[in-house]
C-alpha cells in the first residue's frame, strides 16, 4: 500500500489524541517502521508518545505490547520503562477510523526525556558500557515473560534472517559477495545456533530507541523505548542487535563492541557457546537492515525512516567482513571473563608437563642458559631509534654482547612493548586516533646466519613462504601440531627464504628434523640474524603470514592466542622478565616528591621515550607533542644526542680553562643577533638567566624597580618569581612586592583596552608605572617582557607597543630585557628572535629551554655597555654554566636549526596551521581568536558574550590526549590552547591536529553554556 495514503499528519495526530485521551497537545513526528509515532506536548509540559498503527493491525500484537509493558512495570526493576496511558474509557488501547474508514489501533505512553543515542557525541566507552548494562538488564527481566504472539514470523528476527538470500539480486557484485559470506557463515552454524537458549527480547535497540541522560560529560543510557519489534528468539540476539546499531560509524567496530558486551554480561551472564555465534548474529542483523532498505527503496520510497541507517549499515558490514570471526569470538570471550581462546588452559596444562630444551630447537646452541636482552620501548641498551635502524651497528652490538656471554643464548621479547616498529605498516586508525602494533609476541633468539632450526614436535607444514616483501619475517615456516583434544601451531621466522620455501603445504616434518636456517639481512626481513619463535592456538584467517607484533589494546586476547613459548622451556631468565609499566609510580611520587609538583592530564601518562615530534608511553603508543618547546629540534634529536655523548666522553669542566666549545657557541649565537647584542654569559636555565639579567639591571642602574606585564612568567627562582605576575598574582602568591610594577596584559582581544585607542592606552599604562616609580623618589631599573606573552595566552604585542615602551623606559634611564626563553631560536618563523618581530633591539635577552633541546643550558646576551658596567670587580662564576658538554649541545641545536631550515619550516607550518585554525573558527564560533607567529600559536575559547571557557578548554585537552595528541592551556583564565611543538613539526602533523580538533569541537561537551 502506498505509504502516503496510510500516513498520519501531525494535525490528525493531535485530534486523535484529544478524542481518545481528552488532552490537547502539540504533535511532532517521531521515527517508526510499523507504527506512526508522535511526540505530544500537552498542558504543563506533560509529554507523551502517541502510537497509531497501520490499517488492520493484528490485535494480538497490541495485547503483546500491553502485557509486556505492564509486566516490566510490575518488576519494579529500577529501569526506566515506558508506561502505557489509559484512555478516557480506562483502556490501554483503543480504535480510530481514519478518513478512508480504515480501523487504526491507538496507544499512548509517557514520553521519556533525554537525548537519542543518534544525537550523542562522542559515544564513549563508558557510555557503550552503560548501554550493555541496560540492554542486559532488560534481557534478564524479559526472560521470565511469555506471550503467544512473541513466537511469530518476523523479518527482523536474526534467527529467521536467511529470508534475505532471496533478495541478493538487488545488490551489486561486491555487496553480494559480502552478504553471501555472512549467509554461509550463519547457515554453516545454524544447527548449533538453533539450540541456544531462547527468551523474549526487545530486539530493536537502534540509535533512535536508546535514551541517554542529559549529562554531557558522563552520559549514561537511561532507557530503551519502542517494544514493537519484541520477539521470542535466541537470547544472544538481544546483544547482537544492540551491538549492530551502536557500533556504526566507528573506525574499529570490534573494539567499539567490547564495552557493550562487558556491560551486557554484567547484567545477563552469557554462556560460552552463545559467544561463538555473536559475530555472525551481529552481521545477520545488518544483513536484514540493508536488505530491508533495498526492498523499501522500491516499496515505500517516501518512508525515509526505513532508509535512515542504510549507508552506515553498509559501511559497518564491510568493516565487519574484514574482522576475523575467530578473533571476534575470542575478544567476546575475554570481555566476558572467559579465557579468550577456549584451549588456552589445555595448552598451558600440557606445556607444564613438557621437558624441552632450547638445544632441541637449536642444536648448535652453546647451552640452555639465557641472557635476557631488553629491546623494550624504554631500553637503554637499544638506544636511539637511529641506532636501532642501523643494522650493521645493531649486529655489532649483538656480537659484542655474545662475546661477553659466550655460554648463553641471547633472547627475549615476549609481550615486550617495542619502539622499533616505526613503519606505517604497523599503524591503523582506531577509535582513539592512530594505533600502532608495538607488542612483540614471540621470543627472539640471536644466532649467526645459517644456524639450523629443528622441529621439537611432529608437525604438518601449513605455511612456507618468503615473507621478505613486507620487511617483517623473511623466510617463514608455520607447523601445525595435533594432540588428543586440541591443536596448536609453531612459527619460525627470519629464515633464509630458500630453506623456508623448500617445504610444501601439507608436508610432514618429524620431531628432530631440520626445518629451516636463519637468514641474514636483508633477506630475513631486514633484521639482525635471529629466530622469532612463537606458538599459536589458532591461525585465525592467516595463510601466508601471521602477526608477531600486536596492538596493545588487544594484548589480553593475543596473550591467550599466542601463549608464552617459555612455558615449554621454563627458562628462569625469561620467566623473571617484568616489563616496565606505570604501576606504583604515581603513588610513590605522590608520597615522596614535592607536593607542589603537578601532573598533566586527568589520567597522567607514563612517558618513557621521545622521538622527534612524538612522546612514547610504556606500551609504545606515540603521542604527537604540540606543546613541548623544550625539545626545540625534536625529542632526542640524534645530532644533538651524539654531540653530547661525544663531548661527555672527552671533557666536562668549568669555564676557568680555555675551551673552544664556549666560543663556538657564542659565534653561532652572534650570527643570529644584531651587532649591538655581542656579549654572552652562559648559565643552566631560563630562571638563572633571569636572575643574572636582574643583577645586570641592578648593577647598571643601581635600581631594583622593575616594570613587568600582567600574567608574565620569567622563572622559578626567588628573583624570577618577584617579577612574574603569573606566579605572585596566582594561586598561592602574595602579590607584587614594592619594587615590581605591573601593567595590564596588552591584550586587544579580551584585555582591559580594546578597539581603536587600545594600543595608546596600554602604552600610557606603562608610562604611569614610570611616573609612579619616579614620584616615589626611585629610579627605573628596567622592563622585562616576552615578545609574545606565553602564560598570558600567547598574546602578540599590539603594533607599536613594544617600540614605544622601550623608548619610555630608556628615557627614564632603565634597561629593556627581552625574555626569549620560549620565543627564540627560530620559533617565530619570520624572525630568529621574538623581539625582531617588532623592529626593536633590547639591552639584554634571556635564552633558556630551546637552546639545549632538553639539556640544561641557557644564556644571557647583552650589549657591550651593559657588560662593561656589570664587570665591576665582582666576578661572575657559574660552576656548570658554559661547560664544554652544554656548549657543544647548544651549538649543535643552533646548527641543526640552520642546516635543516627549521626556522623556515616554522614559518611555513605555522602559517598553514594559523590559516586553517582561522577557517575552523568560522565553523566553530567558540574559537574566539587565533594568534601568534610561526610555531608559537594560541587558540582562545570564548562564548558569544566573550566569556572565557576554561572547562571546555580542559575537556578538549584531555580528549585530544585520548586521540594521541598532547596539548596544554595558558591564559589568565586557562582558556587558551597553546601550540608550540618541536620545530620539526610538519604540515601533515598540523593536518592531524586539525582533524582531531575539529572532531572534538563537534562533541556535545563543547556546546555547553553556563558551566
Amino acid at each position: 500500500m502506498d505509504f502516503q495514503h496510510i500516513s498520519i499528519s501531525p494535525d490528525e495526530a493531535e485530534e486523535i489524541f484529544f478524542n481518545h485521551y481528552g488532552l490537547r497537545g502539540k504533535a511532532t513526528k517521531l521515527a517508526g517502521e510499523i507504527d506512526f509515532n508522535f511526540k505530544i506536548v500537552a498542558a504543563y509540559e506533560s509529554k507523551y508518545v502517541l502510537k497509531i498503527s497501520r490499517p488492520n493491525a493484528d490485535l494480538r500484537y497490541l495485547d503483546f505490547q500491553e502485557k509486556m509493558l505492564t509486566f516490566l512495570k510490575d518488576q519494579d526493576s529500577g529501569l526506566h520503562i515506558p508506561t502505557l496511558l489509559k484512555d478516557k474509557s480506562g483502556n490501554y488501547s483503543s480504535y480510530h477510523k481514519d478518513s478512508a474508514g480504515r480501523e487504526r489501533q491507538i496507544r499512548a505512553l509517557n514520553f521519556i526525556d533525554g537525548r537519542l543515542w543518534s544525537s550523542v557525541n562522542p559515544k564513549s566507552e563508558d557510555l557503550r558500557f552503560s548501554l550493555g548494562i541496560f540492554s542486559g538488564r532488560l534481557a534478564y527481566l524479559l526472560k521470565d515473560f511469555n506471550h503467544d504472539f512473541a513466537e511469530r514470523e518476523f523479518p527482523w528476527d536474526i534467527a529467521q534472517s536467511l529470508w534475505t538470500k532471496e533478495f541478493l539480486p538487488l545488490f551489486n557484485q561486491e555487496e553480494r559477495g559480502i552478504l553471501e559470506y555472512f549467509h554461509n557463515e550463519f547457515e554453516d552454524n545454524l544447527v548449533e545456533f538453533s539450540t541456544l537458549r531462547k527468551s523474549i527480547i526487545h530486539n530493536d535497540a537502534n540509535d533512535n530507541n536508546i535514551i541517554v541522560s542529559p549529562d554531557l560529560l558522563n552520559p549514561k543510557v537511561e532507557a530503551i523505548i519502542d517494544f514493537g519489534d519484541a520477539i521470542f528468539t535466541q537470547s544472544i540476539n538481544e546483544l547482537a542487535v544492540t551491538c549492530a546499531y551502536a557500533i556504526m560509524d566507528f573506525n574499529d567496530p570490534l573494539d567499539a563492541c567490547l564495552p557493550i558486551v562487558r556491560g551486557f554480561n554484567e547484567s545477563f551472564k552469557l554462556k560460552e557457546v552463545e559467544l561463538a555465534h555473536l559475530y555472525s548474529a551481529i552481521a545477520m542483523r545488518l544483513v536484514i537492515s540493508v536488505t530491508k532498505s533495498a526492498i523499501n527503496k522500491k516499496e515505500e520510497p517516501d518512508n525515509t525512516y526505513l532508509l535512515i541507517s542504510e549507508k552506515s549499515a553498509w559501511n559497518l558490514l564491510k568493516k565487519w567482513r574484514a574482522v576475523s570471526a575467530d578473533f571476534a569470538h575470542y575478544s567476546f570471550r575475554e570481555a566476558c571473563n572467559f579465557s579468550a581462546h577456549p584451549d588456552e588452559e589445555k595448552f598451558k596444562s600440557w606445556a607444564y608437563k613438557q621437558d624441552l630444551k632450547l638445544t632441541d630447537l637449536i642444536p648448535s646452541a652453546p647451552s640452555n642458559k639465557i641472557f635476557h636482552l631488553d629491546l623494550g620501548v624504554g631500553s637503554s641498551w637499544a638506544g636511539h631509534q637511529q641506532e636501532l635502524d642501523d643494522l650493521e651497528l645493531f649486529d655489532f652490538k649483538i656480537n659484542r654482547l655474545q662475546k661477553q656471554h659466550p655460554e648463553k643464548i641471547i633472547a627475549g621479547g615476549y609481550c615486550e612493548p617495542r619502539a622499533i616498529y616505526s613503519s606505517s605498516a604497523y599503524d591503523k586508525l582506531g577509535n582513539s586516533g592512530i594505533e600502532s602494533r608495538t607488542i612483540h609476541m614471540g621470543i627472539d633468539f640471536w644466532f649467526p646466519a645459517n644456524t639450523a632450526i629443528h622441529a621439537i614436535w611432529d608437525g604438518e607444514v601449513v605455511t612456507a613462504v618468503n615473507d621478505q616483501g613486507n620487511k617483517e619475517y623473511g623466510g617463514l615456516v608455520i607447523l601445525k601440531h595435533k594432540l588428543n583434544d586440541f591443536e596448536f601451531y609453531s612459527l619460525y621466522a627470519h629464515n633464509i627464504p630458500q630453506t623456508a620455501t623448500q617445504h610444501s603445504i601439507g608436508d610432514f616434518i618429524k620431531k628432530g628434523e631440520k626445518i629451516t636456517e636463519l637468514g641474514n639481512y636483508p633477506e630475513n626481513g631486514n633484521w639482525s640474524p635471529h629466530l622469532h619463535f612463537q606458538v599459536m592456538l589458532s591461525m585465525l584467517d592467516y595463510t601466508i603470514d601471521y602477526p608477531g607484533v600486536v596492538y596493545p589494546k588487544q594484548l589480553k586476547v593475543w596473550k591467550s592466542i599466542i601463549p608464552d613459548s617459555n612455558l615449554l622451556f621454563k627458562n628462569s631468565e625469561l620467566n623473571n622478565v617484568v616489563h616496565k609499566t606505570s604501576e606504583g609510580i604515581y603513588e610513590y611520587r605522590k608520597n615522596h616528591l614535592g607536593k607542589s609538583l603537578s601532573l598533566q592530564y586527568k589520567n597522567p601518562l607514563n612517558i618513557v621515550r621521545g622521538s622527534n615530534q612524538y612522546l612514547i608511553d610504556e606500551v609504545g603508543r606515540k603521542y604527537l607533542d604540540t606543546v613541548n618547546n623544550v625539545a626545540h629540534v625534536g625529542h632526542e634529536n640524534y645530532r644533538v644526542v651524539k654531540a653530547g655523548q661525544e663531548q661527555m666522553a672527552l671533557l666536562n669542566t668549568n669555564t676557568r680553562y680555555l675551551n673552544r666549545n664556549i666560543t663556538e657557541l657564542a659565534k653561532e649565537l652572534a650570527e643570529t643577533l644584531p651587532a649591538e647584542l655581542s656579549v654572552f654569559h652562559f648559565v643552566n636555565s631560563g630562571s638563572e638567566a633571569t636572575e643574572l639579567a636582574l643583577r645586570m639591571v641592578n648593577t647598571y642602574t643601581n635600581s631594583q624597580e622593575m616594570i613587568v606585564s600582567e600574567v608574565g612568567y620569567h622563572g622559578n627562582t626567588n628573583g624570577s618569581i618577584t617579577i612574574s605576575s603569573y606566579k605572585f598574582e596566582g594561586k598561592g602568591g602574595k602579590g607584587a612586592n614594592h619594587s615590581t610594577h605591573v601593567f595590564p596584559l596588552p591584550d586587544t582581544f579580551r584585555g582591559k583596552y580594546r578597539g581603536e585607542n587600545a594600543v595608546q592606552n596600554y602604552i600610557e599604562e606603562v608610562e604611569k608605572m614610570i611616573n609612579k616609580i619616579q614620584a616615589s623618589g626611585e629610579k627605573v631599573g628596567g622592563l622585562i617582557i616576552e615578545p609574545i606573552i606565553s602564560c598570558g595566552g600567547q598574546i602578540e604585542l599590539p603594533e607599536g607597543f613594544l617600540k614605544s615602551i622601550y623608548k619610555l623606559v630608556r628615557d627614564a634611564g632603565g634597561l629593556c630585557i627581552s625574555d626569549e626563553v620560549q620565543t627564540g631560536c627560530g620559533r617565530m618563523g619570520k624572525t630568529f628572535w621574538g623581539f625582531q618581530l617588532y623592529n626593536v633591539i633590547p639591552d639584554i635577552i634571556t635564552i633558556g629551554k630551546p637552546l639545549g633541546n632538553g639539556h640544561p643550558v641557557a644564556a644571557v646576551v647583552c650589549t657591550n655597555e651593559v657588560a662593561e658596567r656589570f664587570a665591576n670587580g665582582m666576578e661572575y662564576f657559574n660552576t656548570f654554566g658554559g661547560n664544554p658538554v652544554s656548549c657543544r649541545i647548544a651549538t649543535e641545536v643552533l646548527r641543526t636549526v640552520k642546516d635543516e631550515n627549521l626556522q623556515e619550516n616554522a614559518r611555513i607550518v605555522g602559517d598553514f596551521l594559523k590559516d586553517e585554525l582561522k577557517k575552523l573558527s568560522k565553523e566553530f564560533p567558540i574559537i574566539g581568536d587565533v594568534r601568534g607567529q610561526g610555531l608559537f600559536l594560541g587558540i582562545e575559547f570564548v562564548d558569544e558574550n566573550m566569556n572565557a571557557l576554561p572547562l571546555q578548554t580542559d575537556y578538549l585537552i584531555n580528549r585530544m590526549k585520548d586521540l594521541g595528541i598532547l596539548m596544554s592551556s595558558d591564559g589568565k583564565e586557562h582558556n587558551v590552547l597553546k601550540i608550540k611543538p618541536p620545530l620539526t613539526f610538519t604540515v601533515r602533523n598540523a593536518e592531524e591536529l586539525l582533524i582531531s580538533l575539529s572532531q572534538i569541537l563537534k562533541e556535545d561537551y563543547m556546546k555547553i553554556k553556563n558551566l
Side-chain angles (χ1 to χ4, degrees):
M1 186 177 294
D2 183 14
F3 177 73
Q4 292 296 338
H5 289 123
I6 62 172
S7 64
I8 301 290
S9 71
D11 289 343
E12 291 176 285
E14 290 171 7
E15 285 303 311
I16 292 169
F17 187 71
F18 176 72
N19 292 337
H20 288 269
Y21 296 95
L23 296 171
R24 285 286 181 194
K26 181 68 176 175
T28 307
K29 275 190 176 181
L30 298 175
E33 182 195 10
I34 297 175
D35 295 323
F36 295 92
N37 301 321
F38 297 88
K39 176 183 177 181
I40 306 288
V41 179
Y44 306 109
E45 293 300 307
S46 55
K47 300 171 188 174
Y48 307 92
V49 175
L50 177 64
K51 300 178 74 67
I52 304 171
S53 76
R54 294 182 177 224
N56 306 312
D58 192 328
L59 296 180
R60 294 176 303 154
Y61 168 74
L62 296 175
D63 183 68
F64 175 42
Q65 295 289 298
E66 179 181 324
K67 294 285 198 310
M68 182 165 40
L69 289 172
T70 53
F71 171 83
L72 289 170
K73 183 182 178 183
D74 291 344
Q75 299 306 299
D76 193 25
S77 63
L79 289 186
H80 213 165
I81 303 294
T83 304
L84 285 166
L85 179 69
K86 289 183 178 180
D87 65 13
K88 291 190 290 187
S89 301
N91 300 315
Y92 285 126
S93 62
S94 53
Y95 305 95
H96 165 78
K97 281 194 176 181
D98 62 22
S99 57
R102 296 167 301 206
E103 193 168 73
R104 308 286 190 108
Q105 282 74 34
I106 310 298
R107 287 161 292 142
L109 307 93
N110 67 305
F111 182 88
I112 297 178
D113 267 319
R115 298 179 291 153
L116 293 179
W117 179 273
S118 58
S119 71
V120 176
N121 181 21
K123 298 175 177 68
S124 68
E125 185 170 321
D126 286 344
L127 177 60
R128 281 175 275 131
F129 179 79
S130 80
L131 172 60
I133 289 280
F134 195 104
S135 178
R137 182 62 180 156
L138 188 57
Y140 180 81
L141 294 174
L142 285 174
K143 70 181 176 60
D144 295 323
F145 174 66
N146 296 293
H147 195 284
D148 291 344
F149 186 76
E151 299 186 53
R152 68 191 189 279
E153 287 189 14
F154 190 51
W156 288 97
D157 179 13
I158 292 170
Q160 304 174 50
S161 60
L162 289 175
W163 66 265
T164 55
K165 292 175 69 175
E166 179 185 345
F167 296 92
L168 285 172
L170 295 176
F171 301 96
N172 64 38
Q173 186 175 355
E174 180 196 6
E175 293 168 342
R176 275 200 305 275
I178 293 171
L179 296 176
E180 286 172 346
Y181 169 81
F182 288 121
H183 284 147
N184 294 336
E185 177 85 11
F186 185 71
E187 202 162 15
D188 288 349
N189 297 286
L190 189 56
V191 173
E192 185 177 79
F193 180 80
S194 301
T195 66
L196 301 181
R197 60 175 166 170
K198 294 183 177 181
S199 60
I200 291 175
I201 66 170
H202 176 273
N203 196 44
D204 196 20
N206 70 56
D207 50 6
N208 287 307
N209 285 341
I210 302 167
I211 307 298
V212 177
S213 67
D215 182 350
L216 298 184
L217 187 57
N218 296 297
K220 305 290 181 189
V221 170
E222 290 206 331
I224 295 178
I225 60 172
D226 194 351
F227 287 72
D229 283 4
I231 188 78
F232 182 76
T233 188
Q234 281 73 13
S235 302
I236 192 67
N237 290 345
E238 180 65 14
L239 176 56
V241 171
T242 303
C243 288
Y245 292 106
I247 64 177
M248 288 182 180
D249 304 317
F250 279 88
N251 293 320
D252 184 343
L254 177 59
D255 177 64
C257 211
L258 299 179
I260 304 170
V261 175
R262 289 191 186 96
F264 191 96
N265 184 66
E266 195 163 301
S267 296
F268 186 95
K269 293 299 179 188
L270 294 164
K271 299 180 179 181
E272 291 180 77
V273 67
E274 292 173 318
L275 293 172
H277 297 273
L278 180 56
Y279 170 84
S280 180
I282 291 170
M284 290 311 292
R285 179 63 179 215
L286 294 167
V287 169
I288 294 171
S289 180
V290 297
T291 304
K292 277 289 221 175
S293 293
I295 295 168
N296 291 330
K297 280 181 184 178
K298 293 185 175 182
E299 294 184 355
E300 294 187 12
D302 297 325
N303 192 345
T304 55
Y305 172 74
L306 301 179
L307 308 176
I308 196 167
S309 62
E310 180 186 24
K311 183 178 179 181
S312 293
W314 263 119
N315 287 339
L316 176 53
L317 262 178
K318 290 173 183 177
K319 292 175 184 175
W320 204 241
R321 174 64 183 88
V323 173
S324 162
D326 284 343
F327 191 80
H329 174 209
Y330 305 150
S331 299
F332 298 147
R333 288 176 57 89
E334 193 279 326
C336 295
N337 302 313
F338 297 113
S339 294
H341 196 286
D343 293 335
E344 180 185 2
E345 294 308 317
K346 290 180 184 177
F347 175 82
K348 287 182 175 179
S349 177
W350 172 81
Y352 178 76
K353 300 171 187 175
Q354 301 306 299
D355 185 23
L356 291 172
K357 301 288 188 290
L358 287 169
T359 49
D360 297 332
L361 178 66
I362 309 165
S364 62
S367 70
N368 287 291
K369 297 177 181 178
I370 291 288
F371 176 84
H372 174 248
L373 175 60
D374 177 12
L375 290 180
V377 65
S379 165
S380 57
W381 188 94
H384 197 279
Q385 183 69 48
Q386 192 159 326
E387 293 176 344
L388 274 172
D389 293 340
D390 185 339
L391 293 175
E392 290 185 4
L393 175 61
F394 187 85
D395 206 29
F396 170 78
K397 290 170 67 176
I398 287 287
N399 291 333
R400 186 171 60 183
L401 191 63
Q402 187 70 77
K403 288 177 182 177
Q404 293 169 350
H405 304 278
E407 299 303 315
K408 293 184 177 182
I409 301 170
I410 299 171
Y414 181 69
C415 283
E416 185 172 74
R418 292 178 173 176
I420 303 169
Y421 312 108
S422 55
S423 165
S424 59
Y426 290 88
D427 295 342
K428 71 173 182 179
L429 182 59
N431 298 328
S432 299
I434 299 294
E435 295 178 21
S436 301
R437 287 193 291 139
T438 59
I439 308 296
H440 185 266
M441 294 306 297
I443 298 179
D444 289 333
F445 299 98
W446 271 270
F447 283 95
N450 304 113
T451 297
I453 309 302
H454 289 244
I456 47 182
W457 311 282
D458 293 347
E460 175 191 347
V461 176
V462 295
T463 297
V465 296
N466 175 9
D467 194 38
Q468 185 185 352
N470 70 9
K471 302 296 182 187
E472 187 167 344
Y473 274 154
L476 172 66
V477 178
I478 301 177
L479 304 181
K480 179 179 180 179
H481 311 283
K482 290 187 176 181
L483 299 174
N484 290 335
D485 55 348
F486 72 96
E487 62 188 29
F488 70 98
Y489 303 82
S490 57
L491 178 150
Y492 313 82
H494 301 299
N495 306 297
I496 299 173
Q498 293 84 346
T499 65
T501 56
Q502 67 184 344
H503 304 293
S504 298
I505 305 304
D507 283 357
F508 188 79
I509 294 180
K510 292 183 179 180
K511 177 180 177 181
E513 186 179 340
K514 187 175 84 168
I515 304 170
T516 187
E517 293 178 14
L518 297 185
N520 209 338
Y521 54 82
E523 65 178 357
N524 69 352
N526 224 19
W527 259 89
S528 176
H530 74 289
L531 170 68
H532 173 104
F533 175 76
Q534 67 187 41
V535 293
M536 304 93 72
L537 302 184
S538 170
M539 280 295 290
L540 301 173
D541 295 331
Y542 295 96
T543 55
I544 61 169
D545 196 4
Y546 199 91
V549 185
V550 303
Y551 296 103
K553 289 183 75 172
Q554 299 174 342
L555 180 57
K556 287 183 180 179
V557 178
W558 280 113
K559 282 181 71 174
S560 183
I561 300 171
I562 308 176
D564 186 357
S565 300
N566 196 45
L567 291 168
L568 302 163
F569 303 114
K570 304 172 182 63
N571 185 280
S572 60
E573 288 297 317
L574 294 177
N575 276 340
N576 295 330
V577 173
V578 177
H579 299 300
K580 298 169 185 175
T581 68
S582 59
E583 186 177 352
I585 296 177
Y586 177 75
E587 284 303 316
Y588 192 90
R589 174 179 170 130
K590 187 173 69 173
N591 293 331
H592 298 286
L593 296 187
K595 305 302 181 185
S596 60
L597 289 174
S598 64
L599 285 163
Q600 181 71 292
Y601 309 113
K602 290 176 181 174
N603 296 308
L605 295 171
N606 180 26
I607 298 298
V608 298
R609 179 180 281 264
S611 179
N612 205 351
Q613 61 272 64
Y614 294 95
L615 289 173
I616 304 172
D617 71 11
E618 77 273 19
V619 297
R621 184 178 185 186
K622 293 185 294 187
Y623 291 87
L624 182 62
D625 185 357
T626 74
V627 293
N628 209 323
N629 63 327
V630 177
H632 193 64
V633 293
H635 290 284
E636 282 50 72
N637 179 284
Y638 191 59
R639 285 180 58 171
V640 175
V641 169
K642 287 297 291 181
Q645 289 174 336
E646 289 170 1
Q647 184 60 46
M648 202 175 296
L650 288 175
L651 173 70
N652 197 23
T653 187
N654 60 53
T655 56
R656 294 190 189 278
Y657 306 96
L658 290 177
N659 186 277
R660 190 174 299 278
N661 287 4
I662 194 168
T663 56
E664 288 293 316
L665 175 55
K667 287 177 183 177
E668 287 290 340
L669 279 169
E671 287 181 9
T672 70
L673 289 161
E676 291 87 342
L677 292 166
S678 58
V679 183
F680 303 87
H681 298 75
F682 294 107
V683 293
N684 302 301
S685 69
S687 296
E688 261 196 0
T690 299
E691 287 283 346
L692 179 53
L694 291 176
R695 279 183 59 188
M696 288 178 172
V697 168
N698 180 242
T699 303
Y700 187 94
T701 65
N702 197 29
S703 171
Q704 295 182 344
E705 304 298 313
M706 292 298 298
I707 299 171
V708 303
S709 168
E710 179 188 17
V711 207
Y713 175 66
H714 306 285
N716 59 25
T717 57
N718 282 343
S720 303
I721 292 296
T722 63
I723 59 166
S724 295
S725 161
Y726 177 72
K727 289 294 185 182
F728 63 67
E729 292 184 320
K731 190 175 182 180
K734 297 180 179 178
N737 69 14
H738 62 88
S739 62
T740 301
H741 309 274
V742 184
F743 60 87
L745 184 68
D747 175 12
T748 57
F749 176 63
R750 287 183 64 245
K752 180 176 180 180
Y753 303 115
R754 311 173 198 179
E756 187 177 344
N757 297 318
V759 179
Q760 186 57 40
N761 290 334
Y762 283 121
I763 293 169
E764 289 172 1
E765 289 282 357
V766 177
E767 193 170 18
K768 288 177 187 175
M769 299 294 105
I770 294 171
N771 293 338
K772 177 184 174 185
I773 294 168
Q774 292 174 333
S776 68
E778 299 287 346
K779 294 189 293 185
V780 172
L783 162 80
I784 186 168
I785 189 170
E786 293 176 283
I788 297 179
I789 301 173
S790 56
C791 290
Q794 321 300 90
I795 301 297
E796 289 187 85
L797 304 180
E799 188 175 352
F801 174 76
L802 194 60
K803 182 170 278 193
S804 296
I805 65 171
Y806 268 30
K807 185 176 187 307
L808 288 171
V809 170
R810 284 170 171 157
D811 286 349
L815 295 179
C816 298
I817 305 170
S818 184
D819 182 337
E820 296 284 346
V821 171
Q822 301 210 51
T823 57
C825 298
R827 180 165 293 280
M828 296 297 95
K830 293 176 183 176
T831 61
F832 200 85
W833 302 101
F835 68 82
Q836 293 169 327
L837 292 168
Y838 307 104
N839 197 26
V840 298
I841 298 175
D843 302 295
I844 302 170
I845 68 169
T846 56
I847 311 168
K849 303 172 185 178
L851 192 58
N853 210 55
H855 181 84
V857 56
V860 177
V861 190
C862 63
T863 64
N864 191 62
E865 184 183 359
V866 170
E868 290 290 341
R869 193 83 61 89
F870 183 62
N872 62 357
M874 180 187 290
E875 179 190 17
Y876 175 75
F877 176 71
N878 187 318
T879 303
F880 299 110
N883 73 76
V885 172
S886 296
C887 289
R888 175 79 186 278
I889 286 171
T891 300
E892 200 62 38
V893 169
L894 292 171
R895 287 174 178 169
T896 300
V897 172
K898 179 171 62 179
D899 295 346
E900 297 181 10
N901 246 0
L902 293 183
Q903 180 183 338
E904 178 66 2
N905 184 69
R907 185 190 67 79
I908 292 170
V909 179
D911 286 351
F912 168 78
L913 186 51
K914 190 174 181 181
D915 288 346
E916 293 300 314
L917 287 167
K918 286 182 175 179
K919 291 176 188 175
L920 209 59
S921 70
K922 292 180 172 60
E923 183 180 355
F924 302 101
I926 190 175
I927 298 177
D929 193 28
V930 178
R931 53 183 177 255
Q933 292 292 329
L935 285 175
F936 196 73
L937 303 176
I939 311 168
E940 183 158 9
F941 293 98
V942 295
D943 64 16
E944 63 271 22
N945 298 315
M946 295 286 279
N947 296 311
L949 296 175
L951 295 181
Q952 281 88 341
T953 307
D954 182 64
Y955 172 85
L956 195 149
I957 288 166
N958 282 279
R959 283 287 292 126
M960 288 291 275
K961 187 264 288 184
D962 294 341
L963 297 180
I965 299 177
L966 304 182
M967 303 199 81
S968 187
S969 65
D970 261 333
K972 292 171 65 174
E973 298 173 87
H974 307 288
N975 66 317
V976 180
L977 271 186
K978 56 185 175 183
I979 300 175
K980 46 180 185 175
L983 296 194
T984 51
F985 205 72
T986 66
V987 168
R988 184 175 177 183
N989 298 147
E991 289 171 340
E992 183 181 342
L993 186 156
L994 289 162
I995 289 169
S996 295
L997 187 62
S998 177
Q999 175 184 332
I1000 297 168
L1001 287 169
K1002 295 171 185 173
E1003 293 181 356
D1004 299 331
Y1005 190 79
M1006 297 302 293
K1007 303 167 189 172
I1008 305 177
K1009 296 181 180 179
N1010 303 320
L1011 281 172

